[in-house]
Amino acid sequence: MNTTRLIPVAVIAASCAFVSQAALAYSAGDTFVRGGFAKSDTRSDNGVLDSISSGETGFTFGAGYLFHDQIGIELNSSEKIEHDFSAGDLAGSVDRMPVNLLVNYYPLGGLDSRVQPYVGAGLNYTRFSGEPEGIDARRSYGAVGQVGIDLAVTDNFMLNGFANYADVDSRLSQDGERLGTAKVDPMTIGGGVTFRF
């Protein structure tokens, strides 16, 4: 192929590459859903409890919206995660279900990049259930922070990885008598996929 034919082919190829990259940029008005699996590790100092089991895994899911190229909101959660615990002669298990509402910042939002890192901060609500008879674990409200990254495979499909830390404390009572505060504070690390619309 001679040089005069190579120039138009190169221009067309470069144009296609630019258009496909531009379509990958995060921008205001984008909506996304996420799903995957994560592992949660609890803190070693558990307050009133002697121990809370760590290393539990579960399915995670979430949805979000970008109201600016670099700023968006996300609501995420996971399936119930069962933790075994002990406190003196008291032992059993409890289910923990977190719900996080976060504001995320995307430093490369609006830029033509297949890699889109993000950081977020917001509010965590955790509901406890499935306690042993006579034990009551109160719901928790606290701060949550996360870091993550999306790697675009196509315009709408991305691979996702994230880590978040939540401040989760629960007031424990036995037969109406307060035992103290259980400190869970899970660090969760996971991965999955993101679909952008």
Side-chain angles (χ1 to χ4, degrees), residues 19-90:
V19 169
S20 66
Q21 284 289 327
L24 295 172
Y26 272 16
S27 58
D30 283 355
T31 301
F32 63 86
V33 293
R34 291 192 174 119
F37 286 90
K39 176 180 176 180
S40 287
D41 287 318
T42 59
R43 63 182 287 168
S44 57
D45 175 13
N46 304 131
V48 69
L49 299 183
D50 296 331
S51 68
I52 300 174
S53 66
S54 197
E56 311 299 340
T57 60
F59 176 68
T60 63
F61 48 89
Y65 176 78
L66 274 72
F67 50 85
H68 182 275
D69 287 352
Q70 295 181 318
I71 300 175
I73 57 172
E74 179 179 353
L75 181 66
N76 64 43
S77 184
S78 74
E79 65 178 318
K80 289 181 181 179
I81 300 168
E82 184 178 354
H83 292 281
D84 296 323
F85 69 87
S86 65
D89 59 353
L90 176 66

Side-chain angles (χ1 to χ4, degrees), residues 71-150:
I71 300 175
I73 57 172
E74 179 179 353
L75 181 66
N76 64 43
S77 184
S78 74
E79 65 178 318
K80 289 181 181 179
I81 300 168
E82 184 178 354
H83 292 281
D84 296 323
F85 69 87
S86 65
D89 59 353
L90 176 66
S93 65
V94 64
D95 295 329
R96 173 178 64 87
M97 191 176 104
V99 178
N100 301 310
L101 179 61
L102 301 119
V103 175
N104 289 337
Y105 171 65
Y106 299 84
L108 300 181
L111 300 179
D112 304 333
S113 175
R114 287 184 180 274
V115 178
Q116 292 288 343
Y118 59 91
V119 295
L123 178 68
N124 166 270
Y125 164 78
T126 298
R127 179 177 175 270
F128 294 93
S129 62
E131 305 97 320
E133 187 175 347
I135 301 297
D136 178 52
R138 294 295 301 272
R139 61 186 176 269
S140 169
Y141 294 92
V144 61
Q146 75 173 359
V147 295
I149 189 166
D150 282 320

